[in-house]
Amino acid sequence: MMVQITSAQAAILAVNSIALGGLLFLLSAGFSLIFGLMRIPNLVHGSFFMLGGYFGVTFLDRGVNFWLAALLSAAAMAVIGGLIERFLLRRLEGQILPQVLLTLGLAFIIADICLMVWTGDPWQPSPPPELRGTAQAFGMFFPLYRLAILGVAVVIAIALWLMVDRTRLGAMIRAGVDDPVIARVMGIKVSQLFTLIFCLGAALAAFAGVMGAPYLSVYPGLDFEMLPLALIVVILGGTGSLLGALVGSFLIGFLYNFGQAMFPDLAYVILFLPMVLVLVLRPQGLFGRVEA
Amino acid sequence: MSGNRFRSVGVAIALVLLATLPLWVGNSYYINVASQILLFAVFALALNVLVGYAGLVSLGHAGLFAIAGYAAALMLQAGYGHLAADTAAVVITLAASAIFAVLALRSTGIGFLMITLALGQIIWGIAYRWASLTNGDNGINVATRPAPFGINLTGAPGFYFATLLVFLLALASMAVFVRSPFGASLRGTRDQPLRMNALGYNVWLIRFFAVLFSGFWTAVSGLLFIYYNQFISPQVAALTTSAEILLMVISGGTATLLGPVVGAAIVVVMKNVVSAYIERWNLVLGVIFVLIISFMPDGLVPGSVRLWRWGWQTVRARLDGWISSPVEEHGR
Amino acid sequence: MTALVVQGLSKSFGGLRVTANVSLTVAPGERRLIIGPNGAGKTTLFNLITGNITPDSGSISLFGRDITRVPSHRRPHLGLARTYQIITLFPHDTILRNVTLALLGLLPLRWNPLVDLDRKEAIVARAREALARVGLDNIAERPLSQTSYGERRRVEIAMALAQNPKVLLLDEPYAGLSIDERQDVQKLLEKIPRDVTIVMIEHNMDVALDFADRITLLHFGEVIVEGTRAEVVADPRTREVYLGD
């Protein structure tokens, strides 16, 4: 059942894993913050990724610069995310089941609208011209773009970390994740904070969707392929923990690529195994805190 | 006591209608729709044990449903008889439910939901990707329906009666369960888990048994499903299926005996009608979710009653305005 | 023989020590009052005794049996019952059903999925009896959501008494009650026979003084003073805790 791979293949897989890990981090960082801070199981997060990707390919189709397309898509999704949070989720604060059903319903709606607008065919734009080549190392060629994804993810990870760790906003977020009740009592404007985080999460997911488009392409069903990945990243890393999301993302990136190459039949099971282990041995996640 | 008698009469009429349905419906298409409703009602009843009575929302039940279906389909394909295949399928699904429970009950609330969602996706992934076992996207055909005690279930009416029988058994088991001490314990763990613990209840174990009970009827409905369609594919295990069943439970009203049944009828009929006109079932499903959550959070049945009363009172207030009359006093 | 012994019990949350090396010895039939200002760690102590929280160190024993490692849901079966400061009852059910659930918690019947609970007349009759002890048998069928605060407090006590505990932990049974209601509850507690050992938390010392045989004063998670009523009242440290800040 196991497929042997050469070291050259392994190197390529490693690069792909890192690229996927980067994308997953962008996706799950927002998911984790929304989950950790607002206690909302945002099942529409995978749809943000897919819809963002579709926005991106549409902009690219019109000749917009790649990075600008990614930023525009992120901005559009931030607005959509904000509207969803303000007008739909806000009314259901603290009610888990309705929130789940609402986000699930929105995910189905977005999926079908995307199918209508962008058809069932996959869209795979070219990477930006400056990143189309390959990089040579150890006598092998690596696609430059996939390495670039990693670079962008690292930059954003550092920016997020600085925001959470060093700013007033970050202090409020941390307080909110630790204890929402206390945060409220301390006079933190939780409501605005929630909207902001939801917009940020949506924007990051959309940005990741555009970044991922030249690599994964955008196609119907991408939403519900990405959502469970974000989910296991968060279960693995612990909710509300950026470090956890980072480590979890790359772990899943590697498991996904190597699993699929080496155990094609069981790739999906292998992907979920660490999650099962974490649940049994350390239910709060690798970097999650125990709730008092 | 007259209320009780009223209810008994209602139940009797419903039973007679259900038992004679193939006679007055005639057309086998509609008989099949009725079978679909009943088999999904069994599934919805099973999920309601967790969602309604245990307060645990599972988004992975399509996975358990599919495990039962695939287990039976694979065994039938391998040449085993129906009895052996079905028994094994139920046992395997119960084992899977136990694993689900052990993992998902590490947590409650959102945690439970997320973990069951993830577990459901694993099952979907196996069904879809492990092609050498499951035949991947092409699915598995189920050649024959069983013939218990020599009764032929090939035709629509025959299958309907078998499904009706199973449905009634499931419903009866729920009715007994809800009134039982264990049912009361389970609802207690839903409302006040800490208090239940302090009263001497093993909350974890109660929930564990509830997952098994739910898993049992999920397995049974999964078997009905593959015999109905004589086919199973990974689509069955998809999140859409879990969401549909959840919609049935919610739309009818959770923690009620008949809510999931009404919900199953609504969703199945709607799906059949919508699918006949447009391809966009998911869109409709999504819109319904959003509408129900926004306007009838307590479920379609209680929600409709509320809306109806509100509408009726508005109309009546208008009427009263027009005809200021003694009619009002008699009306009360 | 002692009823309840707590030895060197400690618990910290994060860096905060909420219970610091607490030791208590309660004799059978004793009425022990635990007082202390808000945040003294009184409810935490109860949560440690009932097992809702696991201690970092120390031990708890009930009638000579070490229960430190006994799962919290087993402890009621050993004769330990408690009431809550913040009322945690089952709002959708009737008063009678609330008490029935308390009785059921100790019976193997609770696992039975096949019989009709309402037809188990013996247990329903016992629940009514428990309600009669707190004077609520006349409104047994009333849904809990339609009862007053004082009535709920009595339901709490009825539920604890229904379990026939050997040691009963009462967490601020007078909190939020009017003067009349308080007197009702007071009479009720005085009627509890001496074969039940009672440990009561009270934030307001005056309310429960008469009830207590011995008093333990907690402050910042530590036992500051312990002794008879007179000893504790006379102790300068009591004044310090209550008046000092």
Side-chain angles (χ1 to χ4, degrees), chain A residues 1 31 35 39-43 88 91-92 95-102 104-106 108-113 115-116 224-225 227-228 231-232 235 256 260 264-269 272-273 275-277 279-283, chain B residues 51 57 59 102-104 106 109-111 113-115 117-119 121-126 128-133 239-244 246-247 250 254 279-291 293-295 297:
Chain A
M1 197 182 300
F31 188 74
F35 193 34
R39 309 302 296 160
I40 289 182
N42 184 28
L43 299 188
L88 294 171
R91 307 170 356 147
L92 303 172
Q95 305 172 47
I96 295 170
L97 182 58
Q99 286 171 344
V100 167
L101 294 176
L102 184 87
L104 199 56
L106 288 172
F108 287 143
I109 294 173
I110 291 176
D112 250 14
I113 290 177
L115 193 59
M116 280 191 262
F224 283 115
E225 267 181 56
L227 177 68
L231 198 65
I232 37 181
I235 293 178
Y256 189 86
Q260 225 155 35
D265 279 347
L266 291 175
Y268 225 72
V269 180
F272 282 86
L273 271 183
M275 178 196 88
V276 171
L277 280 179
L279 282 177
V280 172
L281 301 175
R282 202 181 147 80
Chain B
V51 175
V57 183
L59 272 177
V102 167
L103 293 174
R106 303 292 296 198
I110 316 181
L113 186 141
M114 293 293 207
I115 296 167
L117 171 59
L119 291 171
Q121 289 302 110
I122 301 185
I123 312 291
W124 173 82
I126 293 174
Y128 185 52
R129 300 270 166 83
W130 193 348
S132 56
L133 177 73
L239 183 56
T240 327
T241 309
S242 285
E244 265 172 35
L246 194 56
L247 179 63
I250 308 288
T254 55
E279 288 173 49
R280 302 274 93 95
W281 165 241
N282 275 353
L283 185 67
V284 176
L285 185 69
V287 171
I288 298 169
F289 262 72
V290 174
L291 287 180
I293 297 312
S294 301
F295 298 106

Side-chain angles (χ1 to χ4, degrees), chain B residues 9-124:
Chain B
V9 172
V11 169
I13 293 176
L15 276 180
V16 170
L17 284 179
L18 281 173
T20 57
L21 183 129
L23 298 177
W24 48 270
V25 164
N27 184 331
S28 70
Y29 171 79
Y30 294 109
I31 299 175
N32 278 334
V33 170
S35 298
Q36 275 183 48
I37 291 176
L38 292 179
L39 86 85
F40 279 111
V42 175
F43 194 176
L45 284 169
L47 184 58
N48 190 36
V49 170
L50 294 187
V51 175
Y53 297 114
L56 298 167
V57 183
S58 163
L59 272 177
H61 259 51
L64 295 175
F65 186 72
I67 285 177
Y70 269 106
L74 285 170
M75 286 194 64
L76 289 170
Q77 202 182 33
Y80 289 93
H82 286 286
L83 186 62
D86 295 352
T87 312
V90 171
V91 171
I92 290 169
T93 311
L94 281 177
S97 306
I99 296 172
F100 260 54
V102 167
L103 293 174
L105 286 177
R106 303 292 296 198
S107 175
T108 55
I110 316 181
F112 184 87
L113 186 141
M114 293 293 207
I115 296 167
T116 51
L117 171 59
L119 291 171
Q121 289 302 110
I122 301 185
I123 312 291
W124 173 82

Side-chain angles (χ1 to χ4, degrees), chain A residues 36-110:
Chain A
L37 184 67
M38 306 165 70
R39 309 302 296 160
I40 289 182
N42 184 28
L43 299 188
V44 75
H45 214 72
S47 315
F48 288 163
F49 182 91
M50 181 177 74
L51 190 56
Y54 277 127
F55 282 162
V57 296
T58 307
F59 287 128
L60 289 171
D61 224 31
R62 303 271 149 85
V64 178
N65 167 286
F66 186 88
W67 302 106
L68 185 61
L71 288 176
L72 284 175
S73 168
M77 198 57 62
V79 172
I80 295 176
L83 291 174
I84 291 176
E85 202 279 329
R86 275 276 140 167
F87 292 104
L88 294 171
L89 282 172
R90 175 57 51 87
R91 307 170 356 147
L92 303 172
E93 210 178 316
Q95 305 172 47
I96 295 170
L97 182 58
Q99 286 171 344
V100 167
L101 294 176
L102 184 87
T103 54
L104 199 56
L106 288 172
F108 287 143
I109 294 173
I110 291 176

Side-chain angles (χ1 to χ4, degrees), chain B residues 179-180 192 195 197 200-201, chain C residues 72 77 89 101 115 117 156:
Chain B
R179 301 175 67 82
S180 75
Q192 296 282 4
R195 172 35 85 87
N197 184 71
Y201 293 87
Chain C
S72 54
H77 298 265
L89 297 166
L101 274 175
V115 298
L117 180 55
E156 278 271 343

Side-chain angles (χ1 to χ4, degrees), chain C residues 200-219:
Chain C
M200 185 203 289
I201 288 179
E202 201 36 78
H203 157 72
N204 183 346
M205 195 161 77
D206 308 330
V207 182
L209 265 191
D210 298 341
F211 182 75
D213 299 325
R214 289 179 72 80
I215 298 176
T216 303
L217 171 65
L218 281 187
H219 192 38

Side-chain angles (χ1 to χ4, degrees), chain A:
Chain A
M1 197 182 300
M2 187 175 144
V3 181
Q4 291 294 331
I5 54 170
T6 64
S7 57
Q9 281 170 321
I12 290 290
L13 281 173
V15 172
N16 287 351
S17 306
I18 289 171
L20 182 62
L23 290 177
L24 280 178
F25 173 73
L26 295 182
L27 179 69
S28 50
F31 188 74
S32 182
L33 282 179
I34 292 171
F35 193 34
L37 184 67
M38 306 165 70
R39 309 302 296 160
I40 289 182
N42 184 28
L43 299 188
V44 75
H45 214 72
S47 315
F48 288 163
F49 182 91
M50 181 177 74
L51 190 56
Y54 277 127
F55 282 162
V57 296
T58 307
F59 287 128
L60 289 171
D61 224 31
R62 303 271 149 85
V64 178
N65 167 286
F66 186 88
W67 302 106
L68 185 61
L71 288 176
L72 284 175
S73 168
M77 198 57 62
V79 172
I80 295 176
L83 291 174
I84 291 176
E85 202 279 329
R86 275 276 140 167
F87 292 104
L88 294 171
L89 282 172
R90 175 57 51 87
R91 307 170 356 147
L92 303 172
E93 210 178 316
Q95 305 172 47
I96 295 170
L97 182 58
Q99 286 171 344
V100 167
L101 294 176
L102 184 87
T103 54
L104 199 56
L106 288 172
F108 287 143
I109 294 173
I110 291 176
D112 250 14
I113 290 177
C114 287
L115 193 59
M116 280 191 262
V117 176
W118 286 280
T119 74
D121 298 323
W123 293 63
Q124 187 164 25
S126 319
E130 66 272 19
L131 296 174
R132 275 186 201 152
T134 50
Q136 196 182 359
F138 314 111
M140 281 179 289
F141 293 96
F142 299 105
L144 206 51
Y145 183 69
R146 291 181 195 180
L147 296 173
I149 295 180
L150 173 69
V152 171
V154 167
V155 169
I156 294 183
I158 292 173
L160 280 176
W161 175 73
L162 285 176
M163 182 191 87
V164 170
D165 214 58
R166 295 291 159 85
T167 64
R168 223 180 93 72
L169 176 69
M172 290 196 267
I173 295 173
R174 275 179 287 134
V177 170
D178 281 350
D179 194 331
V181 182
I182 299 272
R184 208 172 287 253
V185 173
M186 282 177 357
I188 291 176
K189 288 216 173 100
V190 179
S191 140
Q192 283 168 21
L193 190 64
F194 279 10
T195 310
L196 194 70
I197 289 300
F198 205 83
C199 290
L200 179 69
L204 281 174
F207 190 80
V210 184
M211 288 293 298
Y215 165 37
L216 302 168
S217 75
V218 194
Y219 53 91
L222 181 64
D223 47 354
F224 283 115
E225 267 181 56
M226 295 311 279
L227 177 68
L229 295 185
L231 198 65
I232 37 181
V233 166
V234 172
I235 293 178
L236 270 179
T239 57
S241 158
L242 282 179
L243 180 63
L246 191 69
V247 173
S249 295
F250 286 102
L251 188 61
I252 294 302
F254 273 88
L255 280 175
Y256 189 86
N257 281 290
F258 280 88
Q260 225 155 35
M262 298 170 72
F263 308 92
D265 279 347
L266 291 175
Y268 225 72
V269 180
I270 289 172
L271 199 55
F272 282 86
L273 271 183
M275 178 196 88
V276 171
L277 280 179
V278 162
L279 282 177
V280 172
L281 301 175
R282 202 181 147 80
Q284 72 271 30
L286 294 173
F287 298 92
R289 264 154 302 195
V290 193
E291 281 174 46

Side-chain angles (χ1 to χ4, degrees), chain B residues 5-331:
Chain B
R5 186 176 301 163
F6 197 66
R7 217 173 65 183
S8 311
V9 172
V11 169
I13 293 176
L15 276 180
V16 170
L17 284 179
L18 281 173
T20 57
L21 183 129
L23 298 177
W24 48 270
V25 164
N27 184 331
S28 70
Y29 171 79
Y30 294 109
I31 299 175
N32 278 334
V33 170
S35 298
Q36 275 183 48
I37 291 176
L38 292 179
L39 86 85
F40 279 111
V42 175
F43 194 176
L45 284 169
L47 184 58
N48 190 36
V49 170
L50 294 187
V51 175
Y53 297 114
L56 298 167
V57 183
S58 163
L59 272 177
H61 259 51
L64 295 175
F65 186 72
I67 285 177
Y70 269 106
L74 285 170
M75 286 194 64
L76 289 170
Q77 202 182 33
Y80 289 93
H82 286 286
L83 186 62
D86 295 352
T87 312
V90 171
V91 171
I92 290 169
T93 311
L94 281 177
S97 306
I99 296 172
F100 260 54
V102 167
L103 293 174
L105 286 177
R106 303 292 296 198
S107 175
T108 55
I110 316 181
F112 184 87
L113 186 141
M114 293 293 207
I115 296 167
T116 51
L117 171 59
L119 291 171
Q121 289 302 110
I122 301 185
I123 312 291
W124 173 82
I126 293 174
Y128 185 52
R129 300 270 166 83
W130 193 348
S132 56
L133 177 73
T134 64
N135 207 18
D137 235 359
N138 298 322
I140 303 172
N141 284 310
V142 175
T144 56
R145 286 176 179 172
F149 311 108
I151 304 162
N152 185 354
L153 301 185
T154 319
F159 191 79
Y160 169 81
F161 285 122
T163 312
L164 178 62
L165 186 67
V166 175
F167 164 76
L168 290 175
L169 280 174
L171 193 64
S173 83
M174 294 296 159
V176 170
F177 165 78
V178 167
R179 301 175 67 82
S180 75
F182 184 73
S185 309
L186 184 63
R187 269 173 292 154
T189 64
R190 172 194 66 192
D191 294 337
Q192 296 282 4
L194 275 182
R195 172 35 85 87
M196 288 300 276
N197 184 71
L199 288 175
Y201 293 87
N202 186 339
V203 173
W204 189 91
L205 200 58
I206 289 172
R207 288 177 172 154
F208 179 80
F209 284 137
V211 174
L212 288 191
F213 182 49
S214 174
F216 173 78
W217 285 112
T218 302
V220 171
S221 65
L223 292 174
L224 286 173
F225 179 83
I226 58 156
Y227 283 130
Y228 174 79
N229 285 304
Q230 299 197 269
F231 175 70
I232 185 164
S233 72
Q235 187 52 39
V236 171
L239 183 56
T240 327
T241 309
S242 285
E244 265 172 35
I245 308 303
L246 194 56
L247 179 63
M248 292 174 189
V249 174
I250 308 288
S251 63
T254 55
T256 56
L257 206 53
L258 288 178
V261 180
V262 174
I266 293 170
V267 173
V268 168
V269 168
M270 210 153 47
K271 194 173 176 176
N272 276 286
V273 172
V274 171
S275 306
Y277 295 100
I278 48 171
E279 288 173 49
R280 302 274 93 95
W281 165 241
N282 275 353
L283 185 67
V284 176
L285 185 69
V287 171
I288 298 169
F289 262 72
V290 174
L291 287 180
I292 289 187
I293 297 312
S294 301
F295 298 106
M296 295 183 184
D298 45 353
L300 263 186
V301 177
S304 310
V305 171
R306 214 186 50 223
L307 268 189
W308 171 255
R309 280 209 192 114
W310 175 80
W312 176 234
Q313 272 161 12
T314 318
V315 170
R316 226 168 110 155
R318 288 268 167 79
L319 285 179
D320 286 353
W322 282 330
I323 340 159
S324 54
S325 68
V327 176
E328 193 189 0
E329 275 140 49
H330 291 290

